[in-house]
Amino acid sequence: MHRPMAVLETPIPDHLRPPIRPAAAVGRFSEKSRSVGLRSEGGLPDGLPDGRRQLRKALLALRELEGAHSGEAIAEVFLHVVDLYGLRHKVGYFTLDNASNNDTMIRAIAEVCKFDPAHRRLRCNGHIINLAVQAFLFGKNKDASDEAIRQTSRLSCKEQEGVSGRAESATAWRQYGALGMLHNLVVWIRSSTQRYQAFLVVAGRMIPQDNSTRWNSWYRMIHVAIALRSELNSFMDDCYSASDIRLDYLHPEHWQELQEIHDFLEPFHEITKDTQWDTSSLDEVICSMDFLVTHYKSATKRFESRIAMVDRIMTSWYKFDDYYMRTDNTPVYAAAILLHPSLRMAHLKEAWKDQSQYVDPAVEAVRGLWEDFRPQQQPESEEDLSAYEAYKKRVYQKSSCHDEFSRFIEGPTLPIGNSSAFSWWLEPTQQTSYPSLYRLAINIFSIPAMSAEAERVFSGARRTISWDRSRLSAQVVEYTECLKHWTKNGLLDGPWVSP
């Protein structure tokens, strides 16, 4: 096991800690670069200084790792931080990317905290969609898609090696058809200040270049290129004599191919944007996945005569389905559907009517979660009651104590407008009608759909550590980022009274 660096031995001072209540902690974690970020997100139904009932979040730490980024090393950092805040007994669910060391980390934490790692390990919806998109763009078959994605990433790096590197990469990119040709054109325009400025004069804006880390970057590049098709064609015509552009000239059939790729990718882009916010919850993940299944089916039928396009679609579908099936291992996904006031059992049966055999196991798995919140009924003595009074008591108790979970999921769906399920469950009416079930619901709808917030923290830290601040210590960077995050999210507004 790799020991984290000495900064771990110096905890954040008490006066710099965020005003977070341990009972509200639900974890979101991301490992990237040379640092580990941990943020807590949870519902605070009471105890807020301003009385608001909303989701609150706080960056708890941003720690640097020493040595290899093994899952055990990350787990050690995680456990150290949650112990500083007294949250070990409240560790919830983990929204992570698909890195293998995250799996190792979850298993190590689960062994210490005594929970089922498969139940608590969720995958970032944005990462799943990105992998499916990458497989569509570059994978030739389901087995070779991962290697193809790695090769395209290496090609992008080689383009930074100068003219010879760009020429070699351009040849390799052309094997991807119109997609690679458009990539080459954008790189070619951007590689010269004169061409860059000349294109701006013609088009009024630049076409964004794809990259291997930014989600939907390929879609954005194609989207803008199609919008600027006439300007780009005019620019290519003016520069056609240049020897390094002729092989990438986009003809009508290439533009048709780009339009088809754009149309296929558009729902993936919409879903990524829709599920990246704090208000997004796991019910949206499952609903979006169900929609993508129908999208794959309709696209396969639409392009059934186009072998190359169908191969792309099927490669993406295989990759997507791999992660879709893994949601069966984590009951909270089905719980988010069943406990959503506008969905409940009715939606699950309708959405899965073609695979109805999965409905009952999903409900039973969620019922297992409910058992941890379900109140235990203690039989009351009827010795001092008459026969009629005892009968009357049993009748009314049975009616009022009907299982909250079954009563809710089998009830009629209710429209909640623009309100979130989280806000709906925090209403006093729901807490009165479902005094135990609402606690499970708050846990479920506090879980983020994506790890986008953690990515934003790392991006913000990169801006903090500019060239003239490169000697900032890891501890100073951590304090700065935590304070920045707490201030931005209103955790330091007004006085805080500890519960």
Side-chain angles (χ1 to χ4, degrees):
M1 179 180 295
H2 294 81
R3 179 174 174 75
M5 60 184 299
V7 68
L8 285 177
E9 306 305 325
T10 307
I12 296 177
D14 289 341
H15 67 282
L16 291 181
R17 293 191 183 191
I20 181 171
R21 296 185 59 186
V26 178
R28 179 187 289 186
F29 192 79
S30 178
E31 187 277 326
K32 189 179 181 182
S33 184
R34 286 190 56 78
S35 58
V36 175
L38 172 63
R39 67 178 291 256
S40 171
E41 179 168 317
L44 303 183
D46 53 30
L48 288 176
D50 56 4
R52 289 178 294 176
R53 298 177 181 276
Q54 64 181 29
L55 202 64
R56 304 302 295 268
K57 59 184 178 182
L59 175 67
L60 300 186
L62 189 64
R63 298 291 164 84
E64 185 175 15
L65 279 179
E66 192 177 57
H69 294 179
S70 66
E72 292 85 354
I74 303 172
E76 184 179 358
V77 176
F78 175 89
L79 292 171
H80 186 97
V81 172
V82 296
D83 285 345
L84 286 177
Y85 286 90
L87 297 176
R88 179 176 290 201
H89 67 296
K90 290 293 184 180
V91 171
Y93 294 83
F94 297 77
T95 302
L96 306 159
D97 63 23
N98 303 298
S100 59
N101 55 357
N102 281 334
D103 295 328
T104 308
M105 177 197 71
I106 292 295
R107 289 193 292 269
I109 295 172
E111 185 175 351
V112 174
C113 297
K114 308 303 180 185
F115 60 76
D116 186 337
H119 284 187
R120 303 290 186 91
R121 201 266 197 254
L122 286 74
R123 287 170 169 79
C124 169
N125 195 44
H127 281 92
I128 294 173
I129 291 174
N130 185 57
L131 288 173
V133 168
Q134 296 287 320
F136 169 79
L137 294 174
F138 309 118
K140 295 181 179 180
N141 57 66
K142 65 176 182 177
D143 298 318
S145 61
D146 291 340
E147 178 58 30
I149 293 171
R150 285 190 289 268
Q151 288 178 2
T152 56
S153 180
R154 288 193 290 268
L155 285 177
S156 297
C157 294
K158 195 171 184 61
E159 288 172 343
Q160 310 302 319
E161 298 176 2
V163 176
S164 61
R166 285 196 296 272
E168 185 178 342
S169 295
T171 301
W173 276 114
R174 291 186 190 106
Q175 68 177 308
Y176 296 105
L179 190 68
M181 295 165 68
L182 175 60
H183 168 88
N184 287 341
L185 283 172
V186 175
V187 171
W188 181 76
I189 293 172
R190 287 172 167 267
S191 64
S192 164
T193 302
Q194 290 78 14
R195 288 194 293 267
Y196 187 97
Q197 295 297 332
F199 186 80
L200 285 180
V201 171
V202 172
R205 65 162 297 180
M206 181 51 58
I207 301 174
Q209 183 178 338
D210 62 273
N211 62 69
S212 58
T213 58
R214 191 172 183 83
W215 298 335
N216 296 304
S217 63
W218 282 94
Y219 171 83
R220 291 295 304 162
M221 181 178 70
I222 297 171
H223 182 77
V224 175
I226 291 174
L228 300 176
R229 175 176 176 175
S230 60
E231 291 84 355
L232 183 56
N233 279 338
S234 175
F235 188 79
M236 288 189 294
D237 290 338
D238 293 341
C239 300
Y240 190 75
S241 58
S243 59
D244 49 357
I245 193 179
R246 295 178 182 176
L247 295 176
D248 296 308
Y249 190 90
L250 296 174
H251 296 281
E253 61 271 20
H254 297 133
W255 283 110
Q256 180 182 353
E257 180 182 347
L258 290 173
Q259 184 66 59
E260 292 172 349
I261 293 174
H262 173 276
D263 293 346
F264 179 79
L265 294 182
E266 189 168 24
F268 295 88
H269 173 258
E270 292 180 2
I271 291 169
T272 303
K273 300 290 287 185
D274 189 51
T275 57
Q276 69 176 335
W277 311 109
D278 291 334
T279 54
S280 302
S281 50
L282 298 183
D283 55 282
E284 296 176 61
V285 174
I286 292 299
C287 287
S288 66
M289 286 184 163
D290 289 338
F291 170 78
L292 286 178
V293 171
T294 64
H295 178 60
Y296 278 117
K297 291 179 179 178
S298 62
T300 302
K301 185 176 181 180
R302 174 186 173 186
F303 297 106
E304 60 185 353
S305 61
R306 303 272 301 281
I307 297 177
M309 190 67 173
V310 170
D311 285 346
R312 275 181 162 175
I313 294 170
M314 294 306 298
T315 301
S316 175
W317 197 348
Y318 278 122
K319 176 64 69 175
F320 169 80
D321 193 58
D322 179 28
Y323 291 100
Y324 187 24
M325 296 298 292
R326 296 186 194 192
T327 62
D328 293 341
N329 300 327
T330 311
V332 290
Y333 286 107
I337 297 292
L338 293 172
L339 297 181
H340 195 290
S342 300
L343 302 176
R344 310 196 197 202
M345 176 72 87
H347 174 82
L348 203 64
K349 289 182 176 180
E350 175 62 26
W352 295 2
K353 61 185 177 182
D354 294 334
Q355 296 178 310
S356 57
Q357 70 272 20
Y358 292 108
V359 173
D360 288 342
V363 173
E364 290 308 307
V366 178
R367 197 179 295 278
L369 297 178
W370 160 238
E371 289 301 321
D372 293 334
F373 294 82
R374 183 177 184 174
Q376 299 298 320
Q377 295 289 333
Q378 298 294 334
E380 298 182 12
S381 173
E382 299 179 354
E383 294 179 358
D384 299 329
L385 301 177
S386 67
Y388 170 69
E389 289 175 330
Y391 168 79
K392 182 178 177 182
K393 182 177 182 179
R394 287 194 298 270
V395 169
Y396 281 95
Q397 270 193 344
K398 182 177 181 181
S399 176
S400 62
C401 296
H402 180 61
D403 182 71
E404 293 179 31
F405 176 74
S406 298
R407 176 159 52 93
F408 180 83
I409 67 172
E410 294 168 4
T413 57
L414 299 173
I416 60 175
N418 295 327
S419 178
S420 67
F422 181 85
S423 299
W424 187 86
W425 275 104
L426 282 179
E427 294 175 1
T429 303
Q430 274 57 260
Q431 296 182 35
T432 301
S433 301
Y434 306 98
S436 299
L437 186 64
Y438 100 93
R439 297 182 180 278
L440 172 61
I442 293 303
N443 276 6
I444 298 301
F445 292 110
S446 295
I447 303 171
M450 289 171 55
S451 60
E453 180 73 14
E455 304 293 344
R456 294 188 189 105
V457 168
F458 285 113
S459 297
R462 178 185 60 80
R463 297 183 180 92
T464 298
I465 312 173
S466 58
W467 286 110
D468 53 348
R469 298 175 186 156
S470 59
R471 297 187 65 184
L472 288 175
S473 69
Q475 190 177 72
V476 170
V477 172
E478 178 181 36
Y479 287 2
T480 302
E481 293 307 310
C482 284
L483 285 171
K484 185 167 66 176
H485 195 272
W486 303 341
T487 302
K488 180 180 178 181
N489 291 283
L491 295 179
L492 303 182
D493 296 344
W496 176 262
V497 179
S498 298

